[in-house]
PDB file of all heavy atoms in Angstrom:
ATOM      1  N   ASN A 267     168.509 113.024 198.571  1.00 98.00           N
ATOM      2  CA  ASN A 267     167.420 112.142 198.030  1.00 98.00           C
ATOM      3  C   ASN A 267     167.905 110.761 197.966  1.00 98.00           C
ATOM      4  O   ASN A 267     168.845 110.473 197.172  1.00 98.00           O
ATOM      5  CB  ASN A 267     166.959 112.700 196.665  1.00 98.00           C
ATOM      6  CG  ASN A 267     165.735 111.922 196.197  1.00 98.00           C
ATOM      7  OD1 ASN A 267     165.245 110.973 196.803  1.00 98.00           O
ATOM      8  ND2 ASN A 267     165.254 112.280 195.010  1.00 98.00           N
ATOM      9  N   ILE A 268     167.350 109.842 198.716  1.00 98.00           N
ATOM     10  CA  ILE A 268     167.787 108.449 198.719  1.00 98.00           C
ATOM     11  C   ILE A 268     166.854 107.635 197.802  1.00 98.00           C
ATOM     12  O   ILE A 268     165.640 107.759 197.919  1.00 98.00           O
ATOM     13  CB  ILE A 268     167.683 107.904 200.158  1.00 98.00           C
ATOM     14  CG1 ILE A 268     168.612 108.674 201.116  1.00 98.00           C
ATOM     15  CG2 ILE A 268     168.090 106.383 200.190  1.00 98.00           C
ATOM     16  CD1 ILE A 268     168.366 108.366 202.540  1.00 98.00           C
ATOM     17  N   LYS A 269     167.433 106.851 196.912  1.00 97.00           N
ATOM     18  CA  LYS A 269     166.622 106.000 196.053  1.00 97.00           C
ATOM     19  C   LYS A 269     167.277 104.547 196.122  1.00 97.00           C
ATOM     20  O   LYS A 269     168.488 104.441 195.974  1.00 97.00           O
ATOM     21  CB  LYS A 269     166.631 106.465 194.585  1.00 97.00           C
ATOM     22  CG  LYS A 269     165.939 107.817 194.418  1.00 97.00           C
ATOM     23  CD  LYS A 269     165.977 108.256 192.975  1.00 97.00           C
ATOM     24  CE  LYS A 269     165.316 109.660 192.793  1.00 97.00           C
ATOM     25  NZ  LYS A 269     165.492 110.163 191.384  1.00 97.00           N
ATOM     26  N   LEU A 270     166.397 103.570 196.271  1.00 98.00           N
ATOM     27  CA  LEU A 270     166.952 102.226 196.392  1.00 98.00           C
ATOM     28  C   LEU A 270     167.768 101.832 195.144  1.00 98.00           C
ATOM     29  O   LEU A 270     168.759 101.101 195.317  1.00 98.00           O
ATOM     30  CB  LEU A 270     165.783 101.222 196.551  1.00 98.00           C
ATOM     31  CG  LEU A 270     164.879 101.403 197.794  1.00 98.00           C
ATOM     32  CD1 LEU A 270     164.024 100.124 197.971  1.00 98.00           C
ATOM     33  CD2 LEU A 270     165.613 101.720 199.060  1.00 98.00           C
ATOM     34  N   MET A 271     167.352 102.291 193.995  1.00 97.00           N
ATOM     35  CA  MET A 271     168.045 101.846 192.754  1.00 97.00           C
ATOM     36  C   MET A 271     169.403 102.522 192.630  1.00 97.00           C
ATOM     37  O   MET A 271     170.304 101.990 191.935  1.00 97.00           O
ATOM     38  CB  MET A 271     167.197 102.181 191.511  1.00 97.00           C
ATOM     39  CG  MET A 271     165.893 101.485 191.445  1.00 97.00           C
ATOM     40  SD  MET A 271     166.078  99.699 191.480  1.00 97.00           S
ATOM     41  CE  MET A 271     164.664  99.209 192.464  1.00 97.00           C
ATOM     42  N   LYS A 272     169.638 103.621 193.322  1.00 96.00           N
ATOM     43  CA  LYS A 272     170.967 104.297 193.332  1.00 96.00           C
ATOM     44  C   LYS A 272     171.853 103.669 194.378  1.00 96.00           C
ATOM     45  O   LYS A 272     173.105 103.667 194.137  1.00 96.00           O
ATOM     46  CB  LYS A 272     170.813 105.745 193.623  1.00 96.00           C
ATOM     47  CG  LYS A 272     170.077 106.593 192.624  1.00 96.00           C
ATOM     48  CD  LYS A 272     170.266 108.084 192.825  1.00 96.00           C
ATOM     49  CE  LYS A 272     169.732 108.553 194.193  1.00 96.00           C
ATOM     50  NZ  LYS A 272     169.952 110.010 194.388  1.00 96.00           N
ATOM     51  N   CYS A 273     171.323 103.209 195.512  1.00 97.00           N
ATOM     52  CA  CYS A 273     172.183 102.915 196.614  1.00 97.00           C
ATOM     53  C   CYS A 273     172.328 101.425 196.921  1.00 97.00           C
ATOM     54  O   CYS A 273     172.825 101.101 198.000  1.00 97.00           O
ATOM     55  CB  CYS A 273     171.698 103.680 197.852  1.00 97.00           C
ATOM     56  SG  CYS A 273     170.181 103.034 198.585  1.00 97.00           S
ATOM     57  N   THR A 274     171.851 100.590 196.086  1.00 98.00           N
ATOM     58  CA  THR A 274     171.888  99.107 196.203  1.00 98.00           C
ATOM     59  C   THR A 274     170.799  98.520 197.103  1.00 98.00           C
ATOM     60  O   THR A 274     170.841  97.355 197.422  1.00 98.00           O
ATOM     61  CB  THR A 274     173.311  98.565 196.661  1.00 98.00           C
ATOM     62  OG1 THR A 274     173.506  98.799 198.055  1.00 98.00           O
ATOM     63  CG2 THR A 274     174.353  99.184 195.840  1.00 98.00           C
ATOM     64  N   GLY A 275     169.829  99.352 197.552  1.00 98.00           N
ATOM     65  CA  GLY A 275     168.721  98.698 198.243  1.00 98.00           C
ATOM     66  C   GLY A 275     168.393  99.209 199.633  1.00 98.00           C
ATOM     67  O   GLY A 275     168.886 100.262 200.074  1.00 98.00           O
ATOM     68  N   MET A 276     167.586  98.443 200.372  1.00 98.00           N
ATOM     69  CA  MET A 276     166.960  98.886 201.620  1.00 98.00           C
ATOM     70  C   MET A 276     168.029  99.071 202.742  1.00 98.00           C
ATOM     71  O   MET A 276     167.995  99.959 203.524  1.00 98.00           O
ATOM     72  CB  MET A 276     165.936  97.933 202.056  1.00 98.00           C
ATOM     73  CG  MET A 276     164.746  97.829 201.179  1.00 98.00           C
ATOM     74  SD  MET A 276     163.599  96.424 201.520  1.00 98.00           S
ATOM     75  CE  MET A 276     163.058  96.817 203.212  1.00 98.00           C
ATOM     76  N   ARG A 277     169.048  98.145 202.820  1.00 98.00           N
ATOM     77  CA  ARG A 277     170.017  98.171 203.919  1.00 98.00           C
ATOM     78  C   ARG A 277     170.781  99.422 203.868  1.00 98.00           C
ATOM     79  O   ARG A 277     170.899 100.160 204.816  1.00 98.00           O
ATOM     80  CB  ARG A 277     170.911  96.936 203.780  1.00 98.00           C
ATOM     81  CG  ARG A 277     171.984  96.855 204.845  1.00 98.00           C
ATOM     82  CD  ARG A 277     172.800  95.648 204.683  1.00 98.00           C
ATOM     83  NE  ARG A 277     174.026  95.663 205.493  1.00 98.00           N
ATOM     84  CZ  ARG A 277     174.100  95.353 206.745  1.00 98.00           C
ATOM     85  NH1 ARG A 277     172.999  94.984 207.376  1.00 98.00           N
ATOM     86  NH2 ARG A 277     175.275  95.387 207.388  1.00 98.00           N
ATOM     87  N   GLU A 278     171.361  99.780 202.649  1.00 98.00           N
ATOM     88  CA  GLU A 278     172.181 100.956 202.577  1.00 98.00           C
ATOM     89  C   GLU A 278     171.292 102.205 202.664  1.00 98.00           C
ATOM     90  O   GLU A 278     171.799 103.238 203.172  1.00 98.00           O
ATOM     91  CB  GLU A 278     173.021 100.916 201.326  1.00 98.00           C
ATOM     92  CG  GLU A 278     174.033 102.103 201.267  1.00 98.00           C
ATOM     93  CD  GLU A 278     175.207 101.846 200.307  1.00 98.00           C
ATOM     94  OE1 GLU A 278     175.699 100.673 200.266  1.00 98.00           O
ATOM     95  OE2 GLU A 278     175.585 102.760 199.638  1.00 98.00           O
ATOM     96  N   ALA A 279     170.108 102.187 202.114  1.00 98.00           N
ATOM     97  CA  ALA A 279     169.204 103.334 202.181  1.00 98.00           C
ATOM     98  C   ALA A 279     168.977 103.723 203.665  1.00 98.00           C
ATOM     99  O   ALA A 279     168.973 104.932 204.036  1.00 98.00           O
ATOM    100  CB  ALA A 279     167.888 103.084 201.468  1.00 98.00           C
ATOM    101  N   LYS A 280     168.740 102.737 204.503  1.00 98.00           N
ATOM    102  CA  LYS A 280     168.528 103.035 205.920  1.00 98.00           C
ATOM    103  C   LYS A 280     169.784 103.641 206.530  1.00 98.00           C
ATOM    104  O   LYS A 280     169.682 104.606 207.351  1.00 98.00           O
ATOM    105  CB  LYS A 280     168.091 101.763 206.613  1.00 98.00           C
ATOM    106  CG  LYS A 280     167.804 101.977 208.139  1.00 98.00           C
ATOM    107  CD  LYS A 280     167.087 100.792 208.753  1.00 98.00           C
ATOM    108  CE  LYS A 280     166.879 100.951 210.230  1.00 98.00           C
ATOM    109  NZ  LYS A 280     168.010 100.739 211.049  1.00 98.00           N
ATOM    110  N   GLN A 281     170.967 103.119 206.205  1.00 98.00           N
ATOM    111  CA  GLN A 281     172.244 103.661 206.728  1.00 98.00           C
ATOM    112  C   GLN A 281     172.425 105.114 206.281  1.00 98.00           C
ATOM    113  O   GLN A 281     172.874 105.948 207.025  1.00 98.00           O
ATOM    114  CB  GLN A 281     173.398 102.822 206.246  1.00 98.00           C
ATOM    115  CG  GLN A 281     173.356 101.414 206.828  1.00 98.00           C
ATOM    116  CD  GLN A 281     174.407 100.478 206.209  1.00 98.00           C
ATOM    117  OE1 GLN A 281     174.767 100.678 205.014  1.00 98.00           O
ATOM    118  NE2 GLN A 281     174.858  99.514 206.910  1.00 98.00           N
ATOM    119  N   MET A 282     172.008 105.388 204.995  1.00 98.00           N
ATOM    120  CA  MET A 282     172.119 106.759 204.521  1.00 98.00           C
ATOM    121  C   MET A 282     171.180 107.708 205.263  1.00 98.00           C
ATOM    122  O   MET A 282     171.588 108.843 205.593  1.00 98.00           O
ATOM    123  CB  MET A 282     171.843 106.793 203.027  1.00 98.00           C
ATOM    124  CG  MET A 282     172.859 106.123 202.138  1.00 98.00           C
ATOM    125  SD  MET A 282     172.351 106.029 200.406  1.00 98.00           S
ATOM    126  CE  MET A 282     172.571 107.720 199.864  1.00 98.00           C
ATOM    127  N   ALA A 283     170.004 107.275 205.494  1.00 98.00           N
ATOM    128  CA  ALA A 283     169.045 108.143 206.241  1.00 98.00           C
ATOM    129  C   ALA A 283     169.517 108.436 207.609  1.00 98.00           C
ATOM    130  O   ALA A 283     169.469 109.569 208.090  1.00 98.00           O
ATOM    131  CB  ALA A 283     167.655 107.446 206.242  1.00 98.00           C
ATOM    132  N   GLU A 284     170.079 107.416 208.292  1.00 98.00           N
ATOM    133  CA  GLU A 284     170.564 107.605 209.647  1.00 98.00           C
ATOM    134  C   GLU A 284     171.754 108.497 209.713  1.00 98.00           C
ATOM    135  O   GLU A 284     171.881 109.309 210.605  1.00 98.00           O
ATOM    136  CB  GLU A 284     170.797 106.276 210.298  1.00 98.00           C
ATOM    137  CG  GLU A 284     169.527 105.447 210.532  1.00 98.00           C
ATOM    138  CD  GLU A 284     169.795 104.000 210.932  1.00 98.00           C
ATOM    139  OE1 GLU A 284     170.880 103.453 210.653  1.00 98.00           O
ATOM    140  OE2 GLU A 284     168.848 103.347 211.395  1.00 98.00           O
ATOM    141  N   LEU A 285     172.669 108.370 208.695  1.00 98.00           N
ATOM    142  CA  LEU A 285     173.849 109.246 208.675  1.00 98.00           C
ATOM    143  C   LEU A 285     173.415 110.675 208.379  1.00 98.00           C
ATOM    144  O   LEU A 285     173.919 111.632 209.025  1.00 98.00           O
ATOM    145  CB  LEU A 285     174.827 108.752 207.622  1.00 98.00           C
ATOM    146  CG  LEU A 285     176.088 109.600 207.406  1.00 98.00           C
ATOM    147  CD1 LEU A 285     176.811 109.803 208.779  1.00 98.00           C
ATOM    148  CD2 LEU A 285     176.979 109.028 206.383  1.00 98.00           C
TER     149      LEU A 285
END
Side-chain angles (χ1 to χ4, degrees):
N267 184 359
I268 301 169
K269 295 179 182 175
L270 302 194
M271 297 303 142
K272 295 193 299 183
C273 74
T274 74
M276 295 169 66
R277 178 179 169 82
E278 188 159 320
K280 182 168 179 280
Q281 293 170 333
M282 291 174 73
E284 290 168 344
L285 177 56

